[in-house]
Amino acid sequence: MTDRGTCLLNDQTVALAAPDRGLVLGWLRERRGLAGTKEGCGEGECGACTVLIGERDPAGRLSYRAVAGCLLPVGELPGRHVVTVEGLNPSDGLNPIQQSLVDAGAPQCGFCFPGIVVSLAGFFLTSTDLSADDAMIALDGNICRCTGYASIRRAIEDFCSSFAPRLDAGRDRVEQLVEWGVLPEYFGNIAPRLAALPGSASTVAPSEGLLLAGGTDLLIQQPDLLELEAVDYVSRRRDLVGITRELDHVSLGAATTIEDLKRDPAFRSLVPGAPAMIERFGSTIIRNRATVAGNLVNASPIGDVTVLLLALGSELVLSREGKRRTLPLGDFYLGYKQLARKPGEIIEAVRVPATVAACTVSFEKISQRRFLDIASVNSAACARMVDGVATSFTLAIGGVAPVPLPARRTSAFLTGRTLDAATIHEAAGILDAEIDPIDDVRGSALYKRELARRVLFAHALAFAPGRVRLEELI
Amino acid sequence: MKHGDPQLHVRGESVFVDDLPAPHGALHAAVLGSPVAHGKITRVDVNAALAHDGVVAVLTARDIPGENQIGAILPDEPLLADGDVHHVGQPVVVVLASSAAVARRARLDVALEIDSLPAVTDPRESAAKGQLMLPARTFAIGVVDDAWGRCAHIVEGRADSGAQEHFYLETQGALAEPMEDGRVRVHSSTQAPTAVQRQTARVLGIPMHLVEVDVRRLGGAFGGKEDQATPWAVMCALGARTTGRAVRLILDRHDDMLMTGKRHPYSSDWKLGLDADGKFLAYEATYYQNAGSAADLSPAVLERSLFHSTGSYHIPNVRATGMSCRTNLAPFTAFRGFGGPQAMFVLETAIDAAARAMNVPAFELQRRNLLREESVFPYGMRAERCRAERCWDEADRAYGIEARAAGVAQHNAENVATKKGLAVMPVCFGISFTNTSMNQAGALVHVYTDGSVGVSTGAVEMGQGVNQKIRRIVAVTLGVDLDRVRVETTNTTRVANTSPTAASSGADMNGAAAQLASQQILERLRAFDADEKDWDKLVAAAHFARVDLSAHAFYATPRLHFDKTAEKGRPFAYHVYGTAIIEVTLDVLRGTAEIDAVRLVHDGGKMIDEAVDRGQVEGALAQGLGWMLLEEASWDAEGRLLHDTAGKYKVPDLGFLPDTVDVSFLADADNPEAVLGSKAVGEPPLMYGIGAYFALRNAAAAADATIDPLQAEAPLTPERTLELLAGGFRVVAVEDAGQNPD
């Protein structure tokens, strides 16, 4: 049998072989006999299959994140620790998360609860302050059809009020959670065990095979991609991960996850509102897998991060066989899912200009459901405001064209103008001529046109509070 | 540690159908559905699918040994399409293979050719073409036509409510194992084990005693597994019978959404007349129910709409007419509330329109017209122990309707960017299957020689806590600790001829049967030794003395009758009441809304398990809110479902639901009509969600949206809300009969 690397699965060491392929959800249930991880939708929309993935960072620190097992390739496992609900169970009884849920009378049909327990364990492992708000966000990808969540909220209040005050931020988190009984004892030994694992199986050169990032959209559309022999995972490319501050820009590594982007202080120094904006992207278990470049190359006309990065005037660093070039992100989209990308070329990084720090950034997303939904229309705008005048104005808008749209004419019109109601109304007319929405499941074309107007109004209200009033706009 | 379903659930150890270990050589099935909504099948060639590595058999209608028919109310639903197809996704071919992935790939290679025929998707068009499932039915009381002349105000309009996908987290599925001597054992995620048994026997052409159906638990159902769990189970049994191997079929989410029915969309006309004081004098409603391509449970759902046409109100003159309209969509089916919510939405639309016409808050009209003791429903039953006013007044006392309305008005006066809206929603819901004969249940109780107790009933656990209630009933009756009682799987060989677990009545009826069985055993034990206090000793001694420690009991809900010719009777054992106050905030610029709070008083009777009932109220409420404001399923003109994946169909998530959900139960609410004084709880609270529609419309009105109160269309999604705000609606003058008698 071909060696496909070794991983830790709960408290076991597992050598992977040829049949260990496909997606983790099916692998757990069919090959490993672990039926606690459930299939609710198979597209990362319900969270019933949530598992934790743990790994050592370059500094040797152990970190975990909750991800959707139905979109996680088995090929991502070597060298990592995958944790299912079974791996969180104490040998007897319940851990404090489970106990609070039971005490609150929360479980009804029970099908979604393994995923909820795992997501909440992810919360305990990642939240800086163990606040109830963080716990709610940790569940933004977990659907429960029975409870209406009220009882789950009660359970959250219960364990947060008991553990948040006891949190010692200076201590190793895993060690503390083991002490509290939130994690079983064996977690105490995972870091050295991971360090001792043989390196992950070699993969073919990136240019030869499929280069897969988070796959959170691609694997829904094309699950059979994993049948390919040659899949290279960008998560293995340490050189592509991370955010660095350079002299005139902030560089976002292509394989940086959306969740890391959300939390990153350097990015936040440019865009203070970033966490709240990025929270509207997918859900925790999706943001933990989806990557910056993945969102860009996926070329969805409605990509949330794409629209934001467009408005920030970002630039791509593209490379092929060691040759690099840069390209304004706005020039990357040629038509529906058509990219100005040469064969074999990959995105290495996205550069966000440091000048953004002097601007105000506004982000709007209108979707049927506030969280974990695809927008009908999304939009971001970045403006430098001086005495009510937009000395620069960059508007991007999604859901209204075959590509995520840099609204160049509207932006050009508004640049240098005082933002008042008359100007904004005129700009809305220009924007209306710039867009070409279609009727689809996300809304009618007329609705999207009306939304395009209104998101522009929302940006204006954010940029010129006091000068522009809502009553003058609608 | 305590052991029970909740503990198993949070440890991921509870077993659902897809978690059962595969028997040796088990096959996996995938179903090929019709790609078109209506047409004649001209060719089915399965050879290419059969040629796939791992494919063992490919079944079509020709492989059915018995009757190709699974229709329960009308015989209009073949298991596998034969000759013609009537909706997209209608099962045509079943592929059996070594893995689900192989079966799903192979089905793509079935050559299926169909000559398309025109499809009908609209119920009014269906009615106009005479495509009713059964003749229209009318419930009436008083003389409506005479009453209009006495009305000071008459409003008349239309209301439409949309489909709702069940989105049980566990999709439909079953596992069938061939047994010795031609028997088959079916593990099914069904609310209706007997229906699965009956239809399996029918399709296989074998007696029912050769079919055993076993159900441990369901990962959610909400009505979606009452009738529509059956086909998948029967297909597994057919596959097991054909191949001699076990067959498992689990629908993936997309297939489930495409192939199974949802809550019925209704399009309705209404007319409400009031006197000068705002008393309801006359009400007329016509319901066009979109039934889909086969009867399924639609006529029964329609009947419940007729029973709930007047909601929580007393109206002396009523004429409500309903039609189940055949269309080319997947058969719509039971969904929590079962037609009741649709009818109540129509009436609330009428009340809202009347309130706007009279320029009074809707809650004033609602309160003035609530049911009272001895109020007569249009179907002839009198309200007994009526708690409509008590619930309303208790909610008003606890939460303050006027004060909250004033707070909303003040917010709206002071704010431009956001507007708030408030609505009150009273609910009255009848408990019992409206088909009187279905109100029966059985239980089998064993006391083992060590004093532990095993209980089997016809009830299916699907998260509603029926097993926990039955445990409590048996423990209380026998006088033993809860931990001594275990509820077994629901199995047709232990308790036979069961009604589905539905109509909110699972605990009422099966709990009552379990109570009767426990009482029999207790009586025998007491007759044997009236003095022994130690249960274990008593049981051991009784067994030694040859006392029977097992009992079966049967419960038939008493005093029920209904005459379908006169459409009069006493169809319900009792009614459940409650009142909810709902507040929302509208983002005027974006057209999006947030539900701020739901505060309600619910009549739960004397609760057997308050935590279970609270969970039912909160969960049903969430589904009602989702149905009104969020969940949207639509089809194109060719009958293809547009919202066909979890990514496109949105159910409530944690962020959708309000931070404040205050549920208080009516105190001192004994109910002599049900076991231990309890009340059924599964369905009624869903209808509190209807208030959210009107709360949001009120908020939109506060933002100067032009609202036509004579038209209502749910769900009120962000798109529809923005349409209101952007002036997409005309202002229509409301007819005032006081000035313009017709």
Side-chain angles (χ1 to χ4, degrees):
Chain A
M1 291 216 285
T2 324
D3 173 28
R4 287 174 184 267
T6 306
C7 71
L8 301 182
L9 167 58
N10 298 329
D11 61 350
Q12 311 250 301
T13 303
V14 177
L16 299 165
D20 296 309
R21 55 194 304 150
L23 295 160
V24 164
L25 170 59
W27 177 75
L28 287 171
R29 293 182 58 83
E30 287 154 30
R31 300 253 327 142
R32 306 303 311 177
L34 292 173
T37 309
K38 309 294 184 193
E39 175 166 343
C41 73
E43 52 173 313
E45 289 277 348
C46 79
C49 65
T50 305
V51 296
L52 296 176
I53 286 290
E55 62 187 323
R56 294 168 74 249
D57 65 15
R61 281 187 307 257
L62 185 57
S63 71
Y64 287 89
R65 42 185 63 206
V67 301
C70 68
L71 296 176
L72 179 67
V74 174
E76 289 276 31
L77 297 186
R80 293 181 172 136
H81 181 206
V82 56
V83 185
T84 68
V85 67
E86 291 90 348
L88 295 172
N89 286 336
S91 53
D92 186 36
L94 304 177
N95 70 34
I97 299 171
Q98 295 167 326
Q99 191 66 53
S100 291
L101 288 166
V102 169
D103 290 347
Q108 291 190 25
C109 87
F111 201 81
C112 68
F113 271 78
I116 285 174
V117 167
V118 174
S119 280
L120 289 172
F123 152 77
F124 268 94
L125 282 157
T126 54
S127 170
T128 50
D129 59 358
L130 297 187
S131 65
D133 284 349
D134 270 10
M136 309 269 187
I137 293 168
L139 290 185
D140 60 4
N142 292 82
I143 293 296
C144 170
R145 189 56 153 162
C146 292
T147 60
Y149 309 94
S151 52
I152 296 171
R153 285 169 182 255
R154 289 194 286 275
I156 286 172
E157 298 290 347
D158 179 54
F159 60 63
C160 285
S161 66
S162 111
F163 287 110
R166 294 159 60 188
L167 183 69
D168 180 349
R171 267 186 71 191
D172 179 74
R173 184 62 66 92
V174 169
E175 191 184 294
Q176 203 168 0
L177 295 181
V178 169
E179 190 179 293
W180 291 347
V182 170
L183 296 176
E185 295 275 344
Y186 75 86
F187 270 79
N189 219 8
I190 291 296
R193 285 176 69 187
L194 272 184
L197 283 187
S200 65
S202 59
T203 49
V204 295
S207 55
E208 304 279 318
L210 172 76
L211 184 61
L212 188 65
T216 52
D217 191 46
L218 193 65
L219 290 174
I220 300 169
Q221 314 303 333
Q222 303 176 50
D224 289 346
L225 283 179
L226 296 179
E227 298 297 315
L228 297 173
E229 273 303 311
V231 178
D232 189 36
Y233 297 99
V234 298
S235 69
R236 304 280 178 204
R237 294 279 302 271
R238 284 285 171 201
D239 56 320
L240 298 182
V241 176
I243 296 175
T244 51
R245 197 193 299 251
E246 309 291 339
L247 200 58
D248 62 346
H249 67 269
V250 167
S251 174
L252 317 178
T256 305
T257 66
I258 306 294
E259 183 66 17
D260 284 345
L261 178 68
K262 177 188 149 195
R263 292 164 179 259
D264 187 77
F267 188 62
R268 204 185 304 174
S269 71
L270 294 188
V271 185
M277 298 173 189
I278 297 173
E279 213 164 272
R280 300 287 307 278
F281 179 106
S283 62
T284 301
I285 58 174
I286 299 300
R287 290 192 299 271
N288 276 336
R289 283 286 297 159
T291 63
V292 170
N295 195 248
L296 298 179
V297 296
N298 192 40
S300 161
I302 202 74
D304 292 323
V305 164
T306 306
V307 163
L308 178 60
L309 292 176
L310 273 174
L312 300 182
S314 309
E315 191 176 65
L316 299 177
V317 179
L318 297 158
S319 80
R320 180 176 59 163
E321 292 164 2
K323 281 187 222 147
R324 290 210 176 100
R325 65 173 176 132
T326 58
L327 182 75
L329 178 57
D331 295 342
F332 194 48
Y333 300 104
L334 304 175
Y336 181 68
K337 298 257 174 185
Q338 285 188 313
L339 300 175
R341 187 179 78 107
K342 296 173 183 157
E345 205 170 38
I346 67 162
I347 298 177
E348 272 191 1
V350 183
R351 291 177 178 170
V352 182
T355 49
V356 166
C359 301
T360 310
V361 180
S362 166
F363 177 79
E364 288 288 323
K365 174 174 179 176
I366 313 291
S367 50
Q368 188 131 334
R369 193 172 66 190
R370 181 169 169 78
F371 294 103
L372 182 49
D373 199 356
I374 292 170
S376 300
V377 167
N378 59 8
S379 176
C382 178
R384 181 159 192 182
M385 298 300 299
V386 180
D387 296 333
V389 177
T391 60
S392 75
F393 195 112
T394 315
L395 172 70
I397 183 162
V400 293
V403 297
L405 190 72
R408 293 198 169 94
R409 284 164 49 203
T410 312
S411 300
F413 172 79
L414 285 169
T415 299
R417 290 191 194 247
T418 303
L419 298 191
D420 55 31
T423 305
I424 296 301
H425 271 294
E426 200 176 342
I430 295 167
L431 180 60
D432 193 61
E434 238 182 322
I435 62 176
D436 186 19
I438 56 168
D439 291 331
D440 65 14
V441 75
R442 308 291 170 198
S444 66
L446 281 177
Y447 174 53
K448 292 175 193 169
R449 281 194 185 277
E450 181 65 28
L451 283 182
R453 250 163 54 82
R454 287 173 180 250
V455 296
L456 179 63
F457 296 164
H459 295 320
L461 289 165
F463 293 153
R467 279 178 192 270
V468 183
R469 293 188 309 128
L470 181 63
E471 306 89 296
E472 302 172 311
L473 294 174
I474 56 172
Chain B
M1 129 181 190
K2 284 192 171 174
H3 291 277
D5 275 15
Q7 284 79 7
L8 293 175
H9 292 333
V10 294
R11 286 176 59 92
E13 290 171 347
S14 26
V15 175
F16 298 85
V17 169
D18 196 27
D19 303 333
L20 291 165
H24 179 70
L27 299 173
H28 297 261
V31 181
L32 176 68
S34 169
V36 300
H38 190 197
K40 290 221 171 297
I41 298 173
T42 56
R43 179 168 168 253
V44 184
D45 184 343
V46 304
N47 285 314
L50 261 175
H52 274 249
D53 219 17
V55 170
V56 172
V58 182
L59 308 177
T60 66
R62 284 194 213 169
D63 298 295
I64 291 171
E67 192 186 348
N68 182 16
Q69 184 53 242
I70 55 168
I73 294 181
L74 297 179
D76 64 350
E77 190 177 356
L79 179 72
L80 295 173
D82 192 8
D84 42 27
V85 290
H86 298 277
H87 66 86
V88 172
Q90 183 180 349
V92 184
V93 173
V94 182
V95 178
L96 305 175
S98 54
S99 79
V102 169
R104 283 173 192 158
R105 269 199 293 275
R107 72 176 166 173
L108 301 175
D109 286 335
V110 172
L112 173 61
E113 290 171 15
I114 298 173
D115 281 349
S116 283
L117 294 167
V120 174
T121 60
D122 177 70
R124 288 179 189 257
E125 183 187 345
S126 164
K129 289 182 169 163
Q131 297 178 358
L132 301 187
M133 294 284 176
L134 291 168
R137 286 177 72 180
T138 298
F139 283 23
I141 192 166
V143 186
V144 176
D145 294 329
D146 292 353
W148 299 121
R150 285 180 272 125
C151 294
H153 308 275
I154 295 175
V155 285
E156 187 172 2
R158 173 174 159 160
D160 290 65
S161 60
Q164 186 175 26
E165 163 68 38
H166 300 84
F167 213 91
Y168 27 65
L169 262 283
E170 178 208 28
T171 53
Q172 303 273 6
L175 167 67
E177 304 171 77
M179 312 294 284
E180 63 173 24
D181 200 21
R183 289 184 71 242
V184 60
R185 178 185 292 153
V186 183
H187 303 272
S188 167
S189 181
T190 180
Q191 293 172 249
T194 294
V196 168
Q197 182 193 23
R198 186 187 302 120
Q199 305 301 359
T200 299
R202 185 181 189 183
V203 169
L204 298 186
I206 58 176
M208 283 171 74
H209 70 194
L210 291 182
V211 182
E212 173 185 352
V213 179
D214 190 80
V215 183
R216 170 75 274 176
R217 63 169 62 78
L218 277 50
F222 318 115
K225 296 173 181 173
E226 182 175 351
D227 214 45
Q228 300 212 353
T230 301
W232 326 110
V234 178
M235 286 174 202
C236 288
L238 176 65
R241 183 90 177 173
T242 308
T243 63
R245 294 161 73 170
V247 174
R248 193 194 307 262
L249 169 55
I250 307 291
L251 297 190
D252 67 23
R253 179 60 64 182
H254 175 67
D255 280 352
D256 191 303
M257 294 180 80
L258 200 67
M259 293 179 173
T260 70
K262 314 176 194 317
R263 182 189 298 284
H264 295 78
Y266 272 49
S267 182
S268 309
D269 298 321
W270 51 264
K271 184 176 180 182
L272 178 65
L274 306 87
D275 70 12
D277 295 330
K279 276 276 197 189
F280 301 159
L281 285 186
Y283 179 60
E284 185 167 11
T286 306
Y287 309 115
Y288 298 89
Q289 176 201 56
N290 192 334
S293 71
D296 188 89
L297 296 165
S298 294
V301 171
L302 181 74
E303 185 177 53
R304 188 166 279 273
S305 300
L306 293 169
F307 280 117
H308 290 83
S309 66
T310 53
S312 204
Y313 309 99
H314 176 243
I315 313 179
N317 302 285
V318 176
R319 182 166 58 221
T321 300
M323 286 162 276
S324 282
C325 309
R326 194 183 294 274
T327 61
N328 295 110
L329 302 177
F332 293 96
T333 194
F335 194 142
R336 209 172 194 169
F338 206 76
Q342 291 95 323
M344 291 191 202
F345 175 68
V346 176
L347 178 57
E348 293 298 332
T349 301
I351 294 171
D352 183 65
R356 285 174 199 279
M358 297 170 67
N359 201 23
V360 296
F363 59 75
E364 280 187 27
L365 296 184
Q366 290 173 309
R367 174 63 186 82
R368 204 168 302 162
N369 290 282
L370 287 175
L371 289 160
R372 292 179 186 166
E373 195 68 19
E374 297 287 306
S375 291
V376 182
F377 293 96
Y379 46 90
M381 185 173 174
R382 284 174 189 280
E384 302 163 11
R385 283 172 297 280
C386 181
R387 292 168 184 161
E389 293 186 323
R390 258 189 76 195
C391 288
W392 181 290
D393 293 343
E394 183 61 25
D396 194 15
R397 193 196 59 75
Y399 307 124
I401 294 169
E402 296 270 5
R404 293 199 173 276
V408 164
Q410 188 183 348
H411 173 95
N412 292 345
E414 293 169 357
N415 290 276
V416 175
T418 61
K419 295 289 181 186
K420 287 184 181 288
L422 173 145
V424 186
M425 182 66 204
V427 168
C428 165
F429 196 76
I431 301 300
S432 290
F433 285 98
T434 56
N435 179 356
T436 301
S437 72
M438 291 170 76
N439 294 291
Q440 53 172 304
L444 176 64
V445 175
H446 298 312
V447 175
Y448 295 98
T449 53
D450 66 353
S452 64
V453 182
V455 186
S456 295
T457 74
V460 169
E461 177 59 50
M462 47 193 158
Q464 85 282 40
V466 67
N467 283 358
Q468 174 69 357
K469 288 185 177 177
I470 289 170
R471 269 179 94 196
R472 281 195 188 279
I473 290 165
V474 171
V476 165
T477 308
L478 293 177
V480 300
D481 282 349
L482 199 58
D483 289 345
R484 305 301 298 276
V485 183
R486 180 181 163 73
V487 178
E488 306 292 353
T489 62
T490 312
N491 188 297
T492 52
T493 68
R494 269 180 269 122
V495 178
N497 309 326
T498 58
S499 288
T501 301
S504 306
S505 63
D508 277 17
M509 297 200 305
N510 292 282
Q515 184 187 38
L516 291 172
S518 304
Q519 283 165 349
Q520 284 182 37
I521 295 171
L522 194 65
E523 280 161 24
R524 288 183 215 139
L525 289 170
R526 289 292 160 229
F528 165 68
D529 184 343
D531 302 322
E532 178 58 63
K533 297 281 183 270
D534 184 313
W535 170 258
D536 292 2
K537 282 184 189 159
L538 176 63
V539 166
H543 175 69
F544 193 73
R546 298 190 293 175
V547 173
D548 183 3
L549 297 178
S550 296
H552 169 267
F554 178 76
Y555 179 79
T557 314
R559 299 205 294 139
L560 300 181
H561 56 89
F562 192 72
D563 174 353
K564 286 199 180 191
T565 312
E567 305 285 24
K568 299 283 179 192
R570 187 182 181 280
F572 299 119
Y574 58 93
H575 292 83
V576 170
Y577 299 92
T579 294
I581 304 164
I582 296 175
E583 291 173 75
V584 306
T585 298
L586 168 67
D587 179 326
V588 174
L589 177 59
R590 298 167 183 84
T592 53
E594 294 217 358
I595 306 165
D596 300 326
V598 180
R599 301 178 174 88
L600 65 92
V601 171
H602 183 82
D603 166 22
K606 215 162 103 181
M607 288 178 285
I608 292 169
D609 189 309
E610 184 174 333
V612 167
D613 283 3
R614 186 173 295 279
Q616 286 298 291
V617 172
E618 292 166 345
L621 168 68
Q623 289 179 349
L625 295 170
W627 177 53
M628 282 287 108
L629 298 190
L630 174 66
E631 299 180 38
E632 186 171 32
S634 62
W635 290 261
D636 66 14
E638 281 75 49
R640 285 182 296 252
L641 179 65
L642 298 175
H643 298 83
D644 62 349
T645 64
K648 293 175 188 159
Y649 185 88
K650 294 292 159 184
V651 299
D653 65 348
L654 210 155
F656 170 79
L657 289 161
D659 292 337
T660 302
V661 177
D662 285 347
V663 175
S664 71
F665 291 100
L666 200 63
D668 187 23
D670 195 13
N671 174 34
E673 302 291 342
V675 59
L676 298 181
S678 65
K679 279 200 171 187
V681 69
E683 293 168 285
L686 184 136
M687 283 150 273
Y688 296 134
I690 293 170
Y693 179 94
F694 297 96
L696 179 52
R697 229 170 47 159
N698 289 341
D704 289 332
T706 45
I707 292 168
D708 176 359
L710 304 183
Q711 310 287 329
E713 191 174 6
L716 192 45
T717 57
E719 179 166 2
R720 290 215 176 92
T721 306
L722 195 65
E723 218 178 327
L724 294 181
L725 290 168
F729 280 60
R730 297 167 294 128
V731 181
V732 174
V734 170
E735 176 189 357
D736 191 326
Q739 290 154 20
N740 303 301
D742 51 2

